[in-house]
Structure formats: C-alpha cells, structure tokens
C-alpha cells in the first residue's frame, strides 16, 4: 500500500513539475515573441529602418548557414527557389510592414495587435488562394477582429503625428505573411528542416533589404552600441529565441494551446512599449485588444487543423 502511495505521490510531483515547466516555457515564448516589435522600436533610434532589417536578416541567415549546409539534407534548387519566394513574402513583406509602421510612429502595441491577426488574414485569403469560402463563424470572427483594431487605433489617430496610410502598413505585412502561409500549403516541394528554410528565407530577405538600405543611403552597419545591441537582440531573442521556443512548445503542447498563448503577445508588447519608450496606454486600446482577440480566437477555432506531411 505504501509503495502505491509513494508511486502516486511521485506521479503527482512529476505532473506538477511538467505543468510548471510548460508554463515557464510559454511565458518565455510570449516575451520573446513580443521582443521583435520592441527590438525594432529600440533600434530605429540608432539607424534607418531598412539597415536594421538588412543586418537582422543577414546575421540570422549567416549564423544558420553552416547548420543548413553541414547537417543537411542536401538542398535542391527547386526547393531553395520556393523558400526564396516565401522569404520575400514572409520575411521581407511582413517585417517591412510592421517595422515601417513603427518607424512612422504607429504605437508598437497596436502594430503587434494587427500583426497578431494572422488567422484572420489567412481566413480572408483562403477563398481566392485555396478556394475555401469563409464560414459564418469566420466572418463573425473577422468582423470582430477588424472592429477591435478600429477601436484600438481610433485613440491613436487622435494623436495627429502619424500619417493615416501608415496604419495600413502592418495590415499589408500581415497579408503578405498570410499569403506566404497559404502558398506553402499549396507548394509541392518537399518539406525542409526549419534551420534550412529559415536560413534561405533570411538570406533572400537580406538581399531585398540591401536594395532598400542602399536607397536609404547606407548598407554598412553603424558602429554604435545601440545599433549592435539592437541587432543582437533581434537575432538571438526575437529570431532564434522566439522560433526555437515556438517549436519546443509545439512538441510539448498542442498547436491550439500554443496559438492561444501567442495571443498574449500584443498586451505584453503594449506594456513593454509603455515601460521602455513611454508609449501611453488607454482604455480604448485595451477594449480594442479584447474585442480583436475574441475575434481571432473564433476564427482560429473554426479552422480545420492541418497535419504536417
């Protein structure tokens, strides 16, 4: 009897530790996921935006390159070309969209909220790309999500220092990432390990950003501690840290739970921006956040789960 009690006690302690580790992992994921927005907001005080995006992508790609070449498998040009296309959409379009919005003064937390509406963008683009019409629940969730963004952005529009069109930049970036997501579902090429696909996407994005950075006036890094610190933050915390934690969380939990956890990144980003940069908070932003997240959850739960090949 005592052995049975001891075994049950051991299983209970093991279960508690497993839950605690998962909660810590998920908290780290939310913080690192929010770090990309905060890192961009910090780095724009030290360098032009496309120079920041160029060196974030280039350093990330070069650090991944030895793993991509040595660990294999051997890459085919057909697969590499597809990843270059996805990099142009998912990396260049997405990063440029939200980074430019932040550089023009759109509140960092609002940008994070719009960028977190990826499930809505995927649902909206599924009809023209995949021929999948939106269900009634998806329409409801999409309308709620957009209403929440309008509520949250209505307050910041009163600030008067941000051009109106700048609010469309993170929307375009999110649509670009959604398009890349849908095209990857349609792609006939074999799946690559994440370190290979991320390497190719980062390097192809850096080539695109190099052209824009040259047009801005410089492609060489700024020898400034703020710039170097910002790039290291974006590479190791926002890129490697966030994506590594994302895949570890997927292994230890369900995709639905991980997706739901990531919905916490906009409020965390808003708090970071308030603490670090003095970006004001408001009841309108908080209310819009709640409405948008409700819409996103409705859309995410109404989508059919996809299974990896």
């Amino acid at each position: 009897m005592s052995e049975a009690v001891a075994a049950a006690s051991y299983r209970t302690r093991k279960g508690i530790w497993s839950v605690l580790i998962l909660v810590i992992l998920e908290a780290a994921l939310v913080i690192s996921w929010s770090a990309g927005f905060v890192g961009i907001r910090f780095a724009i005080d030290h360098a032009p935006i496309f120079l920041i995006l160029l060196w974030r992508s280039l350093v990330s790609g070069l650090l991944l390159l030895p793993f991509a070449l040595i660990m294999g498998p051997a890459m085919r040009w057909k697969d590499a070309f597809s990843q270059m296309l996805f990099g142009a959409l998912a990396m260049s379009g997405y990063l440029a969209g939200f980074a430019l919005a932040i550089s023009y003064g759109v509140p960092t937390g609002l940008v994070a909220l719009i960028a977190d509406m990826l499930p809505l963008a995927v649902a909206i683009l599924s009809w023209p790309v995949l021929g999948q019409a939106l269900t009634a629940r998806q329409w409801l969730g999409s309308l709620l999500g957009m209403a929440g963004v309008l509520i949250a952005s209505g307050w910041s529009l009163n600030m008067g220092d941000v051009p109106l069109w700048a609010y469309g930049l993170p929307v375009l970036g999110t649509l670009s990432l959604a398009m890349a997501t849908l095209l990857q579902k349609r792609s006939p090429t074999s799946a690559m390990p994440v370190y290979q696909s991320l390497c190719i996407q980062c390097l192809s994005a850096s080539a695109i950003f190099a052209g824009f950075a040259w047009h801005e006036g410089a492609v060489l890094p700024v020898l400034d501690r703020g710039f170097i610190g910002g790039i290291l933050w974006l590479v190791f915390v926002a890129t490697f840290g966030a994506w590594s934690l994302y895949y570890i969380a997927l292994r230890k939990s369900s995709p639905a739970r991980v997706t739901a956890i990531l919905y916490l990144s906009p409020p965390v980003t808003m708090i970071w921006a308030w603490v670090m940069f003095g970006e004001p908070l408001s009841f309108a932003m908080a209310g819009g956040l709640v409405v948008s997240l409700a819409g996103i959850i409705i859309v995410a739960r109404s989508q059919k789960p996809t299974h990896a090949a």
Side-chain angles (χ1 to χ4, degrees), residues 81-268:
F81 180 78
S82 297
Q83 294 301 327
M84 291 178 188
L85 173 61
F86 300 146
L89 290 171
M91 285 277 180
S92 301
Y94 175 65
L95 291 179
F98 81 73
L100 280 171
I102 292 174
S103 70
Y104 278 106
V106 179
T108 310
L110 179 59
V111 173
L113 173 59
I114 297 174
D116 208 40
M117 296 176 69
L118 180 62
L120 275 64
V122 170
I124 292 171
L125 291 178
S126 289
W127 178 69
V129 177
L130 301 179
Q132 298 175 354
L134 269 67
T135 65
R137 285 173 59 87
Q138 288 174 326
W139 275 115
L140 174 62
S142 299
L143 291 174
L144 279 175
M146 287 183 281
V149 170
L150 291 175
I151 294 171
S153 60
W155 172 82
S156 59
L157 287 173
N158 296 329
M159 297 173 65
D161 296 330
V162 182
L164 185 61
W165 55 265
Y167 290 87
L169 291 172
V171 176
L172 293 176
T174 303
L175 289 173
S176 180
L177 179 57
M179 179 64 72
T181 301
L182 293 173
L183 289 177
Q184 281 184 301
K185 289 183 179 181
R186 294 183 54 180
S187 176
T189 58
S190 58
M192 273 187 177
V194 65
Y195 54 84
Q196 286 188 336
S197 61
L198 191 59
C199 173
I200 296 173
Q201 290 183 22
C202 286
L203 291 178
S204 60
S206 68
I208 296 173
F209 289 140
F212 287 101
W214 178 81
H215 186 265
E216 278 186 331
V219 294
L220 296 178
V222 179
L223 299 181
D224 174 83
R225 286 189 298 177
F227 175 81
I228 296 173
I231 295 300
L232 293 176
W233 175 273
L234 289 169
V235 170
F236 288 101
V237 180
T239 303
F240 295 159
W243 285 102
S244 298
L245 289 169
Y246 177 74
Y247 286 110
I248 293 173
L250 283 177
R251 291 176 183 174
K252 293 184 173 293
S253 184
S254 66
R257 180 183 172 99
V258 174
T259 303
I261 288 298
L262 288 180
Y263 296 154
L264 296 174
S265 63
V268 171

Side-chain angles (χ1 to χ4, degrees), residues 38 51 56 78 97 108 117 136 145 148 174 194 252 270 274 297 301:
V38 177
L51 188 65
R56 169 186 175 159
K78 182 180 180 180
T108 310
M117 296 176 69
T174 303
V194 65
K252 293 184 173 293
M270 290 180 182
W274 173 60
I297 292 171
R301 289 186 174 180

